[in-house]
Amino acid sequence: VAVPKDFVLNNKAITLAADVFFVDGIAFLMSVSRQIKFVTAEHTPVRTAKSLTKHIKRILQVYYRAGFVVRYVMMDGEFEKIKSELPSIVVNTTAAKERVAEAERTIRTIKERCRGVLATVPFKHVPRRMKIEFLYFVILWLNAFPLRSGISKVFSPREIIVRWKMSAKKHCRVLPGSYCEVHDEPDPTNTMVPRTHEGIALGPTGNLQGTVKFFCLNTGRILKRRNFTEIPMPDSIIARVDAIGLKEKQT
């Protein structure tokens, strides 16, 4: 996607607003750019200076690949400890009980959309890993549509940064929370080993091919597959997912 004139920045300098927020005790580092409105979020189980710096540098690299340079990052007081770790940018931290408005509003939107996704699934106790992936699903589609408050009414934040757009045919193949038999596609053998895994759809990975992520009910790991068969949700699968979530003390 060529960079259109309506959102070319004079010096391509970006200001970020960032903060840490929690979803049922699960910590995420969120950032949103003031000009482009591109949102990122990453699970951060450890919030040491070294860990937070690593996550921030990943975000800076995303903008750098798109031709933008992050000059300022607006954060709350928790990030005071990383100032010395990021000498190339200006880390502006707030005073006690002061918040970054853009970050707070974006976090509210993310949480509301996550509640909407969780309201559509039949589980009473959603496992932690599924909640994390549902949040990534929300972020993926937040970035996929142009915003009135953004710098382009034609191109979405994702198109501006990643330089390609989502496809309904490839990336809307299955709803998150659906029960699927995930095809393993092993090397040809003559054994009677099952060729599928029981999994819960978590949404697209966001790649060009339209690969889908699944929560494997046998191992608890995330599977990324291109082929699957969606099946009506049986009560036994709901009970298995609830048991995993209850064991993790999730609501």
Side-chain angles (χ1 to χ4, degrees):
V1 179
V3 179
K5 294 181 180 180
D6 62 338
F7 66 78
V8 171
L9 307 180
N10 293 332
N11 55 3
K12 295 190 177 181
I14 298 296
T15 299
L16 294 183
D19 201 355
V20 173
F21 70 99
F22 297 85
V23 175
D24 289 339
I26 306 171
F28 295 90
L29 173 63
M30 186 282 308
S31 75
V32 57
S33 54
R34 281 185 168 178
Q35 297 89 340
I36 302 175
K37 306 300 181 183
F38 183 72
V39 181
T40 69
E42 190 170 1
H43 176 42
T44 53
V46 179
R47 302 194 308 281
T48 61
K50 182 178 180 181
S51 177
L52 291 174
T53 301
K54 180 182 70 174
H55 292 303
I56 293 294
K57 286 182 176 179
R58 287 179 184 173
I59 297 170
L60 301 183
Q61 190 64 28
V62 170
Y63 286 96
Y64 177 76
R65 286 198 300 266
F68 297 99
V69 178
V70 176
R71 296 297 187 192
Y72 302 91
V73 182
M74 315 297 289
M75 302 175 171
D76 66 14
E78 181 180 356
F79 294 90
E80 189 74 29
K81 57 191 175 185
I82 73 170
K83 280 187 174 181
S84 60
E85 303 290 336
L86 298 169
S88 61
I89 62 175
V90 177
V91 179
N92 183 82
T93 55
T94 60
K97 297 185 179 181
E98 185 182 7
R99 298 293 181 181
V100 181
E102 296 95 330
E104 291 297 313
R105 186 64 186 87
T106 304
I107 289 171
R108 178 180 173 182
T109 300
I110 293 171
K111 288 188 174 183
E112 288 175 347
R113 302 259 177 125
C114 284
R115 292 188 190 101
V117 173
L118 292 175
T120 64
V121 300
F123 315 119
K124 294 181 180 179
H125 305 279
V126 180
R128 288 171 57 90
R129 190 65 219 183
M130 287 180 61
K131 287 183 180 178
I132 293 171
E133 295 299 334
F134 285 157
L135 187 136
Y136 291 161
F137 171 82
V138 167
I139 299 294
L140 181 72
W141 288 107
L142 274 178
N143 290 325
F145 296 93
L147 301 175
R148 291 182 181 179
S149 58
I151 53 179
S152 176
K153 296 181 180 180
V154 178
F155 296 94
S156 68
R158 182 179 178 84
E159 289 178 79
I160 297 171
I161 298 299
V162 183
R163 302 305 171 95
W164 60 271
K165 61 182 178 180
M166 305 286 286
S167 165
K169 182 178 180 180
K170 292 182 179 180
H171 301 105
C172 299
R173 299 166 61 194
V174 62
L175 289 173
S178 302
Y179 170 56
C180 300
E181 287 289 339
V182 185
H183 302 184
D184 288 337
E185 301 182 13
D187 293 332
T189 64
N190 294 323
T191 66
M192 293 296 102
V193 175
R195 295 295 194 262
T196 62
H197 271 82
E198 299 168 318
I200 304 297
L202 302 173
T205 62
N207 63 4
L208 288 168
Q209 301 93 315
T211 304
V212 180
K213 293 182 286 187
F214 297 90
F215 178 78
C216 180
L217 295 177
N218 296 328
T219 64
R221 300 176 63 183
I222 301 301
L223 303 177
K224 298 179 181 179
R225 296 290 188 271
R226 59 177 180 171
N227 293 323
F228 57 90
T229 301
E230 186 177 356
I231 299 175
M233 181 83 69
D235 292 340
S236 59
I237 295 299
I238 296 176
R240 287 176 62 184
V241 174
D242 282 341
I244 297 172
L246 187 60
K247 184 177 180 181
E248 297 176 352
K249 299 181 179 179
Q250 294 296 306
T251 58

